[in-house]
Amino acid sequence: MKVWRMYEWVIDMVVEGMGRIGWALILYCMISGITDVFLRYVLNKPSLWIGTTIQAALVLIACMGGAYALNKDAFVKLDLFYARFSPRKKAVCDIITVVFTFLFLGVLIWKGYSAAQLSWKLKQVTPTAVPIPLYPIKTLIPLSAIMVLLVAVKKLGNDILTIIGVNHQS
Amino acid sequence: MSIELITLLYFGVLFFSLFLGLPVALGLGGTAVIFAAIFEPRSLLAIPSAFYYTPWNHVLVTVPLFLFMGSLIRFSGIAEAAYDAVYKLIGHIPGGLAMGTVKVCTIFAAITGITPPATITMGQIAYPSMMKYKYRREIAIGSIGAGGALGALIPPSVPFIFYGLLAKVSIGGLFLGGVLPGLMLAFFYIVYIGIRCRLQPHIGPAIPADEKFSTREKLHALLNIWPFLLLIFIVLGAIWGGVATPAEAAAFGATGAFLINAIYGKLTWQVLRDSLITTLTLTGMGFWILIGANIYLNIFNSMGCQELVTSLVLGMPGGTNGILFMMMFIILLLGMVMDDWAIIMLCTPLYIPIINELGIDKLWFGVLFIVNIQIAYLTPPFGFVLFWIKSVLPPDVTMGDVYRSVGPFILLQLLGLALVFMFPQIALWLPSMMNN
Amino acid sequence: AQENGPPDKVTEWVFQPCFDSSDAGWANGVVPWIEAVEAATEGTVKIQLEPSGAITSGSEAFGATIAGMIDGTACWATVYGGDMPEGMLAFGLAMGASNYRDAWAAMWGDPKYRIGELVEEAANERNLHWIGWSSQGPNAMFTKFPVTKMEDLAGKKMRAGGPHALFHEAMGGAPVSMGAGDIYTAIKLGTIDGTYWDTGGIDDMAFHEVIQYAIMPGWCPSQHQEIFVNLDKWNELTQWQRDRIDEVFMTTYFETSRMHMEGVAEALATLEAAGGEVVHLSEEEVKRMREKSVSDIWPKVAEKSERNAKGVELWKQFLTDIGEL
Ligand code: NA
Ligand code: NA
């Protein structure tokens, strides 16, 4: 039990850290978006890289925001029937459907690793006038999927604890 | 295994997983992975690919930025103050706040090219205020959902751009074609809310008779609306004044909200922190659904299921109208699981040769198409507006509540679709005026 | 199966270009090439063509071919250039070859240059075989303002992505990057003054509704699209099949390039019918722009790889030999 609480604590900490990066990325999108327009409209000196880095920031937001949102239980569900279930019944459903989650994340990690490898091999950059390297971004995709998987494991553990009656959270 | 059976199972397995309470994003991705592994293993590479290319999209920056804008003015209390002010001004009308919400959504639709921004911003701002004034959930959610869906129909519109490119129809013409149907729908919603609340005042109660506001109070209330008006002016002005693209204008909205908070002295660390938490949580969730939807489409195509769409359409009896009906029906079905651009990318190349063969006006068809996508977004059990709205509302609101709320508005949308179908001039009149 | 004839086994390939079925590269490029391949191999190679976005996005199609997720793709180096910079030698350099016949001579036709071999080597290194090629006519400037000389572009805000941005910057202009879907509205509302685009595609984008001038021969008088197939899939074919497909490389190049030029003429006619004007820059002005391009932009292509450096030198030699430099 102590080990499990420790695991939860570590996951929460790492995800919180990813959240801070996510916050910074949101602020970056806002500030650089305004700057881009200012450079173009007022100074007539458009940037050749801001737009591309905003696109990159969006991918990183998906990377950071996935684990963050799942850890906060903010992934939208069609809780039509689910909402009315007892905590125990919910836990049983969660354990059935977790197969989908693990398969999806497993493939995202496995194939994401291959995609990252290829990107490094090609030294992949954007075809824009100021090339932005893509391999770091593609490397972060499987890494952040691992974090989402660890959050999913945390939820699965709590579901099991609920079923065997140890956990009393809903 | 036949294509028909695979397609049926593909949808069936998804429905099964989602009804067991699996998050939408994971259900889409998980189902796609299972089918890809069985039928077309090499397409599993599409999964990380979609994770990269889906958010790699200029226009999606509007999602976090409009969320941030909405959160800032909501957590600082500015939004509530503005809605209080509106209540003082039009609170004597039953359902006034809900009607006002539809109007703001319509303005929002002229700011953004996609659906989520209006839905998520108004979901955050308008819903708590309507709850405060004892509006019933169904009218509050319905007005936000239906109003939000207008974002795709009223220009600028990203779906129209995609359709125009694929169908080779003037994008300017399509934009104009969407104006009247969009305004017509907004008008329907407002009239419906007005009548419904007059007949059943407990749904959207007016100010009690003993609580009238003086003219002075009303004038004073106007002051509290200005931040709202200023934001709309900033964003609309940036786009239509040629300063920024619709995607860039979202940064203006967020910065505007930031500065307004500062002017009001409400830019506290708490407000900023809560806004960032909300924005990241909802953006993360939303992007994962969009990624899941693209993965679902990519695997659908790599299994060869798109052939089924063509054969369904061409096998439909009833001549031109039968075929049109089937096309619209398929869009409605796909709208459950796919994003607007995905439906357009999938259907347009399949539909356009048939449309040309039948001699149907492609501009008119495009307007029908987008009106229909709006409906698909709102119809249970799945729809992107439903997902977004559910995610911004408090946790005690269930999907069942959302389903019950949108019903009447879907009927109005269907009425709108039928009218555009029967009277093509609703779509074609404005574009033809501009050509002369 | 016999050594000198079609095999019994039919090979099926899935192709997804980086563009969708509305693009000129579809009906005037990849479709005729597929028909030629299927006919030449007597039906033993069948190709299923999917639009961009069907199996993956256009920007991912090149990598997907390398990885074997799809068997082949048709793409512009303006899209895949970040994965294989040598593609720019095939796409066409700024103010490079004036037409598709010259481009063919420099890339494949004249044994003195054979720049195409550099591109094929780079493709092989990436597990690809370069299997088809087509000129898509000029990639040009479409503006709200008249342009008769280089200086007219100075200070103008034009939508320009990769190599177009380098060109526009070299001309003293202000290149703006934005998503393709935003261009129409941005020109109409005055956010930008025009765009760089494929000439044959301006009517598809309805740009003739918002711009006034088409500036010929553009920044890249003959831009190209390449078709690549996964190298393993290529090697799985019989020698007979490979020989037949190699034979249609040149014939489809000239056939589809001619088709594209007709598309260009149509697009420009549409612009003129809408009240627009086609400006043809004087020979002298083209020469000035070419000199500027060779001195300012070509080195940027050359520095991307050793093969690029070699290829750029060969292009210079070629244009010098035919008297254009
Ligand atoms: Na809109
Ligand atoms: Na739906």
Side-chain angles (χ1 to χ4, degrees):
Chain A
M1 211 50 211
K2 215 169 176 186
V3 177
W4 180 248
R5 294 293 168 224
M6 186 71 189
Y7 173 78
E8 284 189 299
W9 183 82
V10 171
I11 296 294
D12 288 346
M13 281 299 125
V14 177
V15 170
E16 235 3 85
M18 291 168 76
R20 298 301 151 103
I21 300 173
W23 297 2
L25 290 165
I26 293 164
L27 292 173
Y28 175 78
C29 288
M30 180 180 91
I31 295 164
S32 64
I34 287 287
T35 310
D36 201 12
V37 176
F38 179 80
L39 291 175
R40 180 181 73 221
Y41 191 75
V42 180
L43 303 183
N44 205 32
K45 284 256 173 293
S47 149
L48 281 175
W49 55 271
I50 289 180
T52 321
T53 58
I54 290 177
Q55 289 174 288
L58 292 174
V59 179
L60 296 181
I61 287 176
C63 286
M64 301 303 149
Y68 192 74
L70 190 65
N71 203 37
K72 287 195 182 327
D73 247 330
F75 267 44
V76 164
K77 295 172 180 170
L78 295 179
D79 52 4
L80 198 56
F81 312 113
Y82 188 81
R84 281 181 242 139
F85 293 170
S86 67
R88 204 183 148 84
K89 205 165 172 191
K90 275 184 187 168
V92 172
C93 284
D94 287 349
I95 290 174
I96 297 172
T97 54
V98 86
V99 178
F100 284 75
T101 308
F102 282 4
L103 282 174
F104 174 40
L105 295 172
V107 169
L108 187 54
I109 295 164
W110 169 40
K111 292 295 170 184
Y113 173 73
S114 318
Q117 252 184 336
L118 179 64
S119 189
W120 279 93
K121 196 182 140 208
L122 295 176
K123 299 246 173 359
Q124 207 173 30
V125 295
T126 59
T128 46
V130 178
I132 310 285
L134 288 175
Y135 38 89
I137 298 169
K138 292 200 170 177
T139 308
L140 278 171
I141 291 174
L143 288 179
S144 58
I146 290 175
M147 273 318 294
V148 179
L149 185 67
L150 293 177
V151 172
V153 167
K154 177 185 143 182
K155 289 180 171 302
L156 177 68
N158 282 327
D159 283 328
I160 293 171
L161 291 178
T162 302
I163 288 175
I164 60 175
V166 179
N167 231 5
H168 295 290
Q169 68 188 62
S170 58
Chain B
M1 213 185 275
S2 74
I3 280 294
E4 286 81 1
L5 189 59
I6 292 175
T7 308
L8 208 64
L9 282 174
Y10 195 49
F11 278 76
V13 169
L14 175 68
F15 284 28
F16 170 77
S17 71
L18 297 190
F19 281 132
L20 283 185
L22 182 65
V24 174
L26 303 174
L28 287 163
T31 308
V33 160
I34 292 169
F35 278 74
I38 296 172
F39 296 105
E40 192 68 29
R42 67 171 178 166
S43 61
L44 284 174
L45 272 166
I47 281 96
S49 190
F51 195 101
Y52 158 74
Y53 79 72
T54 307
W56 187 269
N57 180 347
H58 283 109
V59 74
L60 282 186
V61 79
T62 54
V63 171
L65 293 180
F66 278 127
L67 267 169
F68 193 48
M69 174 185 93
S71 301
L72 280 172
I73 61 170
R74 171 180 146 214
F75 288 119
S76 63
I78 291 171
E80 198 187 337
Y83 258 83
D84 286 347
V86 172
Y87 186 67
K88 280 181 186 160
L89 293 174
I90 61 167
H92 58 283
I93 306 167
L97 283 182
M99 291 192 262
T101 300
V102 172
K103 286 177 198 161
V104 177
C105 281
T106 311
I107 294 169
F108 233 106
I111 296 172
T112 67
I114 51 179
T115 303
T119 313
I120 55 192
T121 311
M122 296 311 286
Q124 286 190 88
I125 295 169
Y127 183 79
S129 293
M130 285 194 267
M131 288 302 105
K132 183 176 157 193
Y133 292 107
K134 307 274 180 278
Y135 275 53
R136 283 275 293 275
R137 244 177 208 173
E138 51 186 285
I139 206 79
I141 297 174
S143 60
I144 296 165
L150 291 171
L153 190 55
I154 292 174
S157 154
V158 173
F160 269 140
I161 292 174
F162 281 129
Y163 173 81
L165 293 182
L166 290 165
K168 305 197 182 191
V169 187
S170 151
I171 291 158
L174 285 165
F175 275 9
L176 289 171
V179 171
L180 281 184
L183 293 178
M184 181 180 78
L185 283 177
F187 178 72
F188 286 176
Y189 303 152
I190 290 168
V191 169
Y192 162 74
I193 294 166
I195 293 176
R196 179 99 198 263
C197 293
R198 202 162 284 275
L199 296 177
Q200 294 173 289
H202 63 285
I203 288 178
I207 303 172
D210 57 344
E211 208 192 302
K212 290 276 180 246
F213 296 104
S214 67
T215 314
R216 218 191 122 116
E217 275 176 305
K218 285 185 177 177
L219 280 177
H220 194 243
L222 276 175
L223 279 180
N224 281 330
I225 303 181
W226 78 261
F228 236 85
L229 299 179
L230 184 66
L231 274 183
I232 291 170
F233 174 80
I234 290 173
V235 178
L236 266 184
I239 296 174
W240 299 100
V243 179
T245 64
E248 292 167 337
F252 279 68
T255 311
F258 200 84
L259 295 178
I260 287 170
N261 270 8
I263 293 167
Y264 264 62
K266 293 200 166 159
L267 196 62
T268 61
W269 170 237
Q270 191 62 35
V271 167
L272 191 60
R273 190 168 170 273
D274 288 346
S275 302
L276 286 169
I277 290 175
T278 306
T279 306
L280 182 61
T281 308
L282 295 179
T283 309
M285 185 284 303
F287 280 7
W288 273 64
I289 293 189
L290 294 177
I291 291 164
N294 277 337
I295 290 172
Y296 196 79
L297 167 80
N298 288 153
I299 301 305
F300 184 75
N301 281 329
S302 56
M303 292 187 298
C305 299
Q306 71 276 43
E307 283 165 36
L308 189 64
V309 174
T310 316
S311 65
L312 273 177
V313 168
L314 290 176
M316 186 70 186
T320 304
N321 283 345
I323 288 176
L324 275 174
F325 176 82
M326 194 64 201
M327 287 176 165
M328 293 294 141
F329 185 69
I330 288 172
I331 295 169
L332 209 56
L333 281 185
L334 294 176
M336 292 179 169
V337 288
M338 287 175 194
D339 189 19
D340 51 9
W341 87 267
I343 304 173
I344 294 167
M345 296 296 282
L346 173 66
C347 289
T348 315
L350 304 175
Y351 284 1
I352 287 304
I354 305 171
I355 290 292
N356 283 337
E357 188 78 14
L358 296 172
I360 295 166
D361 189 316
K362 284 193 286 188
L363 200 158
W364 175 62
F365 183 76
V367 176
L368 286 174
F369 199 147
I370 307 301
V371 172
N372 200 351
I373 278 184
Q374 270 208 109
I375 303 175
Y377 267 8
L378 217 55
T379 42
F382 306 123
F384 277 77
V385 168
L386 301 174
F387 300 152
W388 279 114
I389 207 156
K390 168 85 169 60
S391 64
V392 293
L393 297 185
D396 62 313
V397 180
T398 67
M399 210 52 167
D401 294 327
V402 177
Y403 289 170
R404 273 188 291 282
S405 312
V406 293
F409 291 91
I410 293 171
L411 290 179
L412 292 172
Q413 288 179 321
L414 287 171
L415 173 67
L417 182 69
L419 286 174
V420 178
F421 186 79
M422 285 185 289
F423 306 103
Q425 284 309 310
I426 299 172
L428 298 175
W429 178 71
L430 209 53
S432 69
M433 285 295 290
M434 290 297 158
N435 280 346
N436 295 336
Chain C
Q2 59 209 39
E3 270 306 292
N4 294 322
D8 301 327
K9 187 174 147 260
V10 173
T11 301
E12 289 187 32
W13 280 346
V14 177
F15 269 52
Q16 188 207 280
C18 70
F19 44 81
D20 57 60
S21 57
S22 69
D23 191 273
W26 190 274
N28 295 347
V30 69
V31 170
W33 177 83
I34 286 174
E35 282 165 4
V37 167
E38 290 181 346
T41 57
E42 297 179 20
T44 62
V45 174
K46 286 208 182 310
I47 298 172
Q48 183 195 330
L49 189 58
E50 299 283 350
S52 165
I55 295 175
T56 187
S57 75
S59 63
E60 291 276 281
F62 189 81
T65 309
I66 296 175
M69 179 169 129
I70 49 178
D71 302 305
T73 187
C75 204
W76 308 288
T78 44
V79 174
Y80 72 77
D83 299 8
M84 188 177 101
E86 287 80 4
M88 282 313 296
L89 300 173
F91 177 88
L93 299 176
M95 286 294 169
S98 306
N99 56 63
Y100 61 87
R101 289 174 212 88
D102 286 357
W104 178 266
M107 289 291 285
W108 294 111
D110 191 327
K112 188 172 165 199
Y113 313 102
R114 298 280 289 179
I115 304 168
E117 283 169 5
L118 295 169
V119 181
E120 171 65 356
E121 280 169 31
N124 286 166
E125 264 177 17
R126 288 164 178 79
N127 199 34
L128 296 173
H129 169 62
W130 183 12
I131 194 169
W133 197 36
S134 177
S135 167
Q136 294 195 277
N139 194 302
M141 300 74 106
F142 300 92
T143 59
K144 283 178 144 177
F145 55 92
V147 178
T148 52
K149 56 184 186 308
M150 218 156 83
E151 288 72 16
D152 294 336
L153 288 168
K156 295 294 185 193
K157 289 195 269 281
M158 300 266 290
R159 192 270 186 180
H164 340 69
L166 296 177
F167 177 82
H168 195 56
E169 206 175 32
M171 297 299 127
V176 176
S177 68
M178 68 171 55
D182 277 336
I183 304 173
Y184 178 94
T185 320
I187 298 177
K188 186 161 189 144
L189 296 176
T191 319
I192 49 175
D193 307 307
T195 184
Y196 284 73
W197 205 257
D198 162 32
T199 306
I202 54 162
D203 46 342
D204 300 338
M205 296 292 285
F207 288 156
H208 56 276
E209 295 172 9
V210 287
I211 57 112
Q212 188 61 33
Y213 302 95
I215 317 300
M216 294 294 121
W219 76 276
C220 182
S222 185
Q223 60 168 356
H224 291 76
Q225 170 215 110
E226 291 77 54
I227 302 176
F228 295 101
V229 69
N230 181 286
L231 190 58
D232 302 328
K233 297 297 158 110
W234 172 251
N235 289 332
E236 278 168 22
L237 298 181
T238 65
Q239 189 59 45
W240 178 85
Q241 284 172 314
R242 290 198 292 260
D243 290 343
R244 298 293 82 71
I245 295 176
D246 279 340
E247 280 162 13
V248 302
F249 189 97
M250 179 168 141
T251 50
T252 54
Y253 174 79
F254 283 97
E255 181 201 351
T256 55
S257 299
R258 263 193 305 274
M259 289 166 84
H260 274 292
M261 286 316 286
E262 281 166 25
V264 167
E266 264 171 47
L268 291 177
T270 307
L271 171 66
E272 282 177 325
E277 197 181 313
V278 180
V279 178
H280 295 276
L281 296 173
S282 69
E283 242 171 74
E284 208 175 290
E285 194 54 34
V286 169
K287 202 155 189 172
R288 272 184 74 214
M289 284 187 179
R290 181 172 291 127
E291 273 157 15
K292 183 92 180 148
S293 299
V294 171
S295 69
D296 289 16
I297 306 169
W298 290 25
K300 290 183 181 159
V301 178
E303 75 188 14
K304 302 261 184 206
S305 76
E306 255 172 60
R307 287 197 190 94
N308 271 23
K310 218 159 139 191
V312 165
E313 275 318 304
L314 285 167
W315 267 114
K316 262 188 214 167
Q317 190 59 50
F318 174 77
L319 289 185
T320 310
D321 291 350
I322 63 171
E324 290 195 344
L325 253 183

